[in-house]
């Protein structure tokens, strides 16, 4: 029930990057699609782009030539908006302007029957605000695809205050029928993905600004230890700094300057310089230079003599198996309530959101090294370390030699509280928790959105459950103490989960 049959004709307005992709998705599900743009050249380019993509699929044997021709035939280009009169659903993907979208929808209300569902693909405008000028706002809904629409599975189905739940359900079911992974969310700044993803960029930028490591080293860490498809800097270069910075500013201002969303001065400088990323040839990386950017990796150090595993190591416990299977002479103290490794008198602990120097001082262990979170300590090929200021170089080399003996490549970064992966993952989970707390979406839908919309290796709330809600809470509280900033305050829902010892997913 509540889904559009393939006999229903679809209208798509705006034949740019998104509109053309959405038209392709609807046409490949079997609908006839009227693709409208005020600019006929844009329609020609849009259809050409669809055709180029489809021809590639035919070449790879993923589609027959017959099907390609039939699909293209179902897309009917038009510069006359009146051709959309008999459509059952219109998805708008024009310029991101409240006034222009409002006047377009007012016009559509005149042209179409009252049963036509009106949807917008807006990324940043309020669904409630666009609908405010309509006579029948209950049939208005957000249908937010991700770029490239034919490839990325996520569709955020966004309800405004006036949206009829059955309309949202119809869009949800229809998106599912089109092979997408829809999620429900309500009209709020950034919806799910553009809100929850902010810390992925923001924490990378903070670590860079504080001199944690080079851009390419930080990107390598996020790819190789945290399993993200791209690091934050290469991804920002791909998105374009003008776009990424504008989204950050828009979410920051929409949440009344909540410090959690504070934009980066570093990124503002890139925008001011015109270093917009791939599209301008220069961003964090120089795209006119073929040289592969180098990242930091430690040279081989001596294998240490003795390893004591003191406690179960929590989320890093897979390291114990690696130690047992290595040539290292080890003692396992499984009953200990500690959670640390002692390697030739050097203490090695998982970062807890404080700097290594602070942990060393508080625990009275001068030769202390911290390591970063890894997606999976067994399969991740790289480990990231930082040394307390008071620790000796020999202590650092001992820790490097230890992890190398476990088969890991080692990258050392400066002593930044929470290093890179741990603070990023905890902040992503915190933002996800806050979105759930404010009824923006369910925990399940937030995780689906982050995996299907931006290819995260794991949903942030599932990640928090696996890491331990207590660990996430502790890291955030420690970051808040380290920086003295409200930005790191744990979401009230995370607090509740921490004190009730419950998880986000049952
Ligand atoms: P685009 O600039 O590639 O295409 C917009 C098209 O709309 C142009 O061809 C333009 O001629 C046409 N247009 C503008 N005003 C019009 C009007 N009044 N009537 C008919 N056609 C009109 O833009 P893009 O990137 O496709 O974005 C479109 C919408 O999708 C925006 O609301 C944007 O926020 C949203 N969006 C964009 C994503 C992206 O990654 N580019 C991702 C998800 C949503």
């Amino acid at each position: 029930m509540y889904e559009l049959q393939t006999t229903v004709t679809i209208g798509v307005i705006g034949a740019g990057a998104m509109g053309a992709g959405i038209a392709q998705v609807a046409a490949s599900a079997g609908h006839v699609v009227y693709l409208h743009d005020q600019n006929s050249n844009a329609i020609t380019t849009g259809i050409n782009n669809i055709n180029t993509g489809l021809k590639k699929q035919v070449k790879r044997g993923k589609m027959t030539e017959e099907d390609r021709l039939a699909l293209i035939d179902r897309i009917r280009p038009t510069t006359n908006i009146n051709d959309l009169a008999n459509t059952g659903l219109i998805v708008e993907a024009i310029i991101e302007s409240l006034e222009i979208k409002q006047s377009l929808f007012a016009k559509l209300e005149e042209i179409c029957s009252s049963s036509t569902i009106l949807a917008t693909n807006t990324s940043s405008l309020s669904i409630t605000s666009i609908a405010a000028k309509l006579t029948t706002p209950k049939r208005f809904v957000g249908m937010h695809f991700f770029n490239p629409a034919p490839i990325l599975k996520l569709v955020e189905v966004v309800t405004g205050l006036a949206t009829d739940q059955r309309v949202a359900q119809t869009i949800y079911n229809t998106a599912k029928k089109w092979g997408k992974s829809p999620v429900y969310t309500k009209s709020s700044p950034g919806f799910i993905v553009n809100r929850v993803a902010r810390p992925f960029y923001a924490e990378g930028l903070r670590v860079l600004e504080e001199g944690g490591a080079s851009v390419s080293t930080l990107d390598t860490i996020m790819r190789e230890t945290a399993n993200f498809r791209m690091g934050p800097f290469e991804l920002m270069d791909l998105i374009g700094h003008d776009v990424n910075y504008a989204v950050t500013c828009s979410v920051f201002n929409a949440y009344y300057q909540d410090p959690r969303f504070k934009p980066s001065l570093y990124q503002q400088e890139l925008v001011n310089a015109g270093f917009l990323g791939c599209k301008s040839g220069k961003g964090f990386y120089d795209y006119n230079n073929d040289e592969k950017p180098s990242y930091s990796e430690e040279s081989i150090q001596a294998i240490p003599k003795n390893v004591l595993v003191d406690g179960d190591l929590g989320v890093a416990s897979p390291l114990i198996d690696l130690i047992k299977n290595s040539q290292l002479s080890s003692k396992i103290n499984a009953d200990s309530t500690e959670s640390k490794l002692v390697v030739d008198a050097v203490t090695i602990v998982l970062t807890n959101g404080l700097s290594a120097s602070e942990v060393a001082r508080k625990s009275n262990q001068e030769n202390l090294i911290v390591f970063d979170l890894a997606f999976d300590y067994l399969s991740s090929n790289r480990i990231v370390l930082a040394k307390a200021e008071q620790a000796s170089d020999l202590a650092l080399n001992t820790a490097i030699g230890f992890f190398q003996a476990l088969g890991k490549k080692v990258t050392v970064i400066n002593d930044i509280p929470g290093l890179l992966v741990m603070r990023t993952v905890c902040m992503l989970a915190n933002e996800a928790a806050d979105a759930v707390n404010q009824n923006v979406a369910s925990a399940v839908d937030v995780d689906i959105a982050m995996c299907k919309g931006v290819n995260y290796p794991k949903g942030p709330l599932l990640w928090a459950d696996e890491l331990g809600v207590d660990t996430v809470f502790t890291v955030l509280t420690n970051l808040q103490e380290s920086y003295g900033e409200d930005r790191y305050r744990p979401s009230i829902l995370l607090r509740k989960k921490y004190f009730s010892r419950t998880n986000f997913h049952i």
Side-chain angles (χ1 to χ4, degrees):
M1 61 182 240
Y2 299 138
E3 71 182 21
L4 299 176
Q5 302 304 311
T6 43
T7 47
V8 173
T9 302
I10 308 292
V12 175
I13 305 186
M18 293 310 292
I22 297 165
Q24 181 184 332
V25 170
S28 62
H31 295 271
V32 166
V33 181
Y34 281 92
L35 178 58
H36 166 74
D37 199 294
Q38 61 186 16
N39 175 349
S40 60
N41 289 336
I43 306 184
T44 311
T45 310
I47 302 226
N48 284 345
N49 288 343
I50 296 173
N51 238 329
T52 309
L54 294 179
K55 280 179 184 163
K56 275 188 197 151
Q57 288 195 43
V58 173
K59 221 173 187 176
R60 286 196 211 116
K62 295 201 167 160
M63 179 182 227
T64 64
E65 176 63 7
E66 209 181 359
D67 285 347
R68 178 186 72 81
L69 291 170
L71 194 159
I72 287 293
D73 187 52
R74 284 194 291 276
I75 302 178
R76 315 276 157 84
T78 176
T79 48
N80 181 0
I81 199 163
N82 293 314
D83 285 343
L84 277 65
N86 295 320
T87 52
L89 162 67
I90 295 178
V91 186
E92 164 277 314
I94 65 165
I95 186 172
E96 190 76 335
S97 151
L98 179 62
E99 292 72 31
I100 298 177
K101 285 191 199 279
Q102 278 176 336
S103 77
L104 174 71
F105 282 109
K107 175 133 205 187
L108 290 173
E109 272 199 318
E110 287 169 18
I111 297 170
C112 304
S113 89
S114 60
S115 62
T116 304
I117 295 177
L118 301 178
T120 176
N121 184 51
T122 181
S123 293
S124 63
L125 299 173
S126 153
I127 302 303
T128 306
S129 303
I130 303 177
K133 292 276 160 80
L134 296 183
T135 355
T136 47
K138 66 177 185 182
R139 48 129 154 211
F140 188 77
V141 66
M143 189 175 195
H144 187 214
F145 288 81
F146 287 72
N147 195 6
I151 303 213
L152 287 174
K153 294 273 182 206
L154 182 65
V155 174
E156 291 178 333
V157 179
V158 194
T159 49
L161 282 184
T163 308
D164 184 332
Q165 203 46 47
R166 282 168 305 181
V167 168
Q169 240 178 66
T170 305
I171 293 303
Y172 181 98
N173 294 344
T174 303
K176 211 163 201 177
K177 215 171 144 200
W178 291 0
K180 295 297 176 188
S181 304
V183 293
Y184 284 115
T185 179
K186 72 172 187 189
S187 182
S188 58
F191 309 138
I192 303 174
V193 169
N194 280 335
R195 170 190 183 162
V196 175
R198 300 316 331 139
F200 183 72
Y201 314 107
E203 293 312 307
L205 285 160
R206 279 296 284 260
V207 175
L208 180 72
E209 282 164 354
E210 290 174 29
S214 71
V215 160
S216 54
T217 298
L218 295 173
D219 274 342
T220 304
I221 291 171
M222 289 307 271
R223 268 187 275 103
E224 293 189 12
T225 71
N227 279 20
F228 283 92
R229 190 114 10 127
M230 292 176 91
F233 304 101
E234 49 201 3
L235 183 53
M236 282 185 273
D237 268 6
L238 184 68
I239 294 168
H241 292 285
D242 48 346
V243 174
N244 190 266
Y245 180 68
V247 175
T248 305
C249 290
S250 133
V251 173
F252 175 60
N253 288 320
Y255 281 107
Y256 302 107
Q257 280 100 41
D258 185 327
R260 266 212 317 258
F261 302 109
K262 202 165 163 184
S264 146
L265 286 173
Y266 199 122
Q267 192 174 32
Q268 188 192 49
E269 283 286 278
L270 288 174
V271 175
N272 290 344
F275 297 163
L276 304 181
C278 306
K279 63 184 170 192
S280 71
K282 191 171 168 58
F284 283 113
Y285 296 94
D286 184 352
Y287 296 91
N288 297 314
N289 179 354
D290 286 344
E291 226 174 275
K292 251 191 139 189
S294 64
Y295 53 85
S296 106
E297 185 166 322
E298 299 305 315
S299 55
I300 298 293
Q301 299 297 322
I303 298 174
K305 295 196 175 58
N306 297 303
V307 178
L308 167 67
V309 181
D310 207 9
D312 68 5
L313 301 189
V315 68
S317 63
L319 287 176
I320 300 176
D321 281 339
L322 288 182
I323 293 167
K324 283 181 185 162
N325 293 331
S326 74
Q327 307 291 322
L328 294 163
S329 142
S330 62
K331 193 176 151 222
I332 316 281
N333 192 357
D335 297 333
S336 167
T337 53
E338 297 275 337
S339 191
K340 65 177 194 232
L341 293 154
V342 183
V343 179
D344 292 352
V346 176
T347 305
I348 305 175
V349 291
L350 178 64
T351 177
N352 66 357
L354 296 174
S355 66
S357 308
E358 196 169 340
V359 178
R361 175 68 188 261
K362 284 187 168 160
S363 60
N364 265 329
Q365 292 169 57
E366 214 162 72
N367 279 325
L368 183 126
I369 308 294
V370 292
F371 62 96
D372 204 352
L373 180 65
F375 182 80
D376 170 2
Y377 285 97
L378 283 185
S379 63
S380 294
N381 68 0
R382 185 174 298 278
I383 197 101
V384 178
L385 308 179
K387 150 184 148 18
E389 300 238 342
Q390 54 273 58
S392 67
D393 289 344
L394 180 63
L396 179 61
N397 287 343
T398 303
I400 294 170
F402 163 68
F403 282 107
Q404 287 171 338
L406 300 186
K408 305 289 184 197
K409 294 174 188 166
V410 178
T411 292
V412 175
I413 70 171
N414 284 323
D415 183 17
I416 302 284
L419 298 177
L420 176 65
V421 179
M422 182 64 101
R423 67 191 271 163
T424 303
V425 168
C426 290
M427 284 293 277
L428 288 171
N430 199 37
E431 202 47 58
D434 223 40
V436 173
N437 196 44
Q438 291 167 359
N439 280 325
V440 167
S442 68
V444 170
D445 277 358
V446 170
D447 276 357
I448 291 175
M450 302 317 289
C451 293
K452 302 288 183 183
V454 270
N455 282 324
Y456 281 10
K458 199 176 283 193
L461 293 173
L462 177 63
W463 213 334
D465 285 346
E466 290 179 7
L467 182 53
V469 168
D470 50 346
T471 303
V472 178
F473 183 78
T474 305
V475 167
L476 290 167
T477 327
N478 284 338
L479 282 168
Q480 194 181 14
E481 184 189 325
S482 295
Y483 287 99
E485 279 181 57
D486 206 25
R487 171 192 179 94
Y488 295 102
R489 71 188 186 278
S491 155
I492 205 71
L493 182 59
L494 184 69
R495 270 189 99 82
K496 277 192 227 165
K497 297 284 175 201
Y498 170 74
F499 284 107
S500 63
R501 294 183 191 283
T502 54
N503 285 335
F504 290 99
H505 298 282
I506 300 146

